[in-house]
Amino acid sequence: MFKSAKNALAGIFITLFLSSSAFAAGQFDGVTLLVGTWGGLWKDNQVENIVSKFEAEGGKVEFVTGSPAANFAKIVAARGQAPFDVVEILAAQVKDYHELDVLHPLDLSLIPNTQHLPETHYNEWLVGSWETQEVICYHKDKFAEEGIPVPTTYRDLVHPKLAGRIQFPDINSGGGLPGLAGVTFAEGGNETNIEPGLNLVKEMNVLKFWARGGETMAQFESGDIIASVVHAGWCLRTKKLAGQNVTTVHPRINDELVGVSSEGWWGVMKNSKNVEAAQWYINQFISSDYQLKMATKTGLVPVNQSVFEAMAEDPLVAEMIVLDPEKVANQLRVDYSKVIIPDWTDQWNRAIAQ
């Protein structure tokens, strides 16, 4: 009898131990999630706000840093075997990812924060991550002092007092494709006819074609430029960090569209063994909390529109960034499925770079 009681007691202790161990186990115990994204501040924000939550679930995050172009090249070099589970993708790359057939279909029930995104910003393959609003950033004081009219269109940048005092994105920069698309559509062109846009860029008499958005802030600060075609976040940083009295204009494209938007996406790789964890990561990235922090630090526009109201509490953000969902929906978005990017680049090099 004593032996039976002793065995029973041991059984209880074992059960309690196993129960407590199971209770302590996290959702992603033993999982190492590989995330393809930019480095620097962009990665640091994710480390600070997402990685700690993943680690609390027993997992570990390792970053494969690089530009979206560099990370796509890694997939091509590995013959479709991506060196990460989940990766950031530019709008202009979506067609390439589909053609290479490297995306894993998503279970959107595991990414419930998509409920806060416009329906255009998620599908069975991709979930939106951020947007930029491509604008004309101009120096209010300089324009007023010199009697230069406030621009409302890209063509307004063709002005004798602006000659040699404008920046425009280089075709190979992050803003190059949406920038060229904006001037092209505004001049009556489209995805298959960019000649009108190239002609307008030549008329602008641009001082410098920027490769990195930070060049805008530096050249406003030095006084070399008084206007730049750049995304609104860089204009916001030029005001906040460099103390330059700049603001944005969202250029009129035609009678229906005002402003230009470009977006980024998250995709899960077909060869990933951590699909559930990758979808968890995407869900955290598009959460209201993370999207607001991201927007506050970078000036990018959240795809999670539930934070627009909180963003508008900052008067400078409200001045420079469109936060009305209907107006955001009414901005130009390029259909990159119709764009042959090497052809755009070749035409740019022949018309502008030389």
Side-chain angles (χ1 to χ4, degrees), residues 64-274:
V64 180
T65 57
S67 69
N71 279 336
F72 182 72
K74 293 168 188 173
I75 300 174
V76 174
R79 298 184 179 182
Q81 296 302 299
F84 29 68
D85 297 294
V86 60
V87 67
E88 293 207 65
I89 301 169
L90 297 180
Q93 296 178 304
V94 169
K95 180 172 69 172
D96 297 329
Y97 272 84
H98 283 303
E99 288 179 351
L100 202 59
D101 189 26
V102 291
L103 293 173
H104 192 290
L106 302 175
D107 181 353
L108 293 176
S109 70
L110 298 179
I111 314 176
N113 283 323
T114 52
Q115 66 183 299
H116 303 300
L117 276 58
E119 291 183 359
T120 53
H121 286 57
Y122 60 91
N123 54 56
E124 66 173 315
W125 301 104
L126 298 165
V127 172
S129 53
W130 48 262
E131 285 193 339
T132 60
Q133 292 180 359
E134 309 296 324
V135 300
I136 298 170
C137 180
Y138 74 96
H139 200 295
K140 292 194 285 187
D141 294 340
K142 299 295 184 183
F143 270 62
E145 289 169 7
E146 300 186 32
I148 305 170
V150 173
T152 59
T153 68
Y154 289 114
R155 180 153 286 282
D156 291 338
L157 295 177
V158 181
H159 189 284
K161 291 183 179 180
L162 293 176
R165 305 171 78 185
I166 299 172
Q167 266 193 351
F168 194 90
D170 181 77
I171 190 70
N172 296 305
S173 71
L177 294 174
L180 180 54
V183 294
T184 293
F185 276 79
E187 289 291 294
N190 54 41
E191 290 94 347
T192 59
N193 176 23
I194 63 171
E195 187 175 355
L198 293 171
N199 289 338
L200 179 55
V201 173
K202 285 190 285 187
E203 288 184 62
M204 286 180 184
N205 197 350
V206 172
L207 171 67
K208 180 177 175 59
F209 294 97
W210 59 262
R212 295 176 178 82
E215 295 173 34
T216 289
M217 186 162 60
Q219 289 208 294
F220 268 117
E221 201 167 10
S222 69
D224 291 336
I225 63 169
I226 60 173
S228 179
V229 175
V230 70
H231 80 66
W234 283 113
C235 201
L236 188 68
R237 280 181 255 185
T238 300
K239 174 79 172 184
K240 285 186 172 181
L241 302 179
Q244 300 298 302
N245 192 22
V246 295
T247 193
T248 62
V249 167
H250 295 263
R252 182 171 57 82
I253 305 302
N254 53 39
D255 291 340
E256 297 177 354
L257 302 174
V258 177
V260 179
S261 281
S262 185
E263 66 275 351
W265 299 86
W266 280 108
V268 176
M269 296 295 95
K270 197 173 189 176
N271 65 305
S272 172
K273 294 180 174 59
N274 300 309

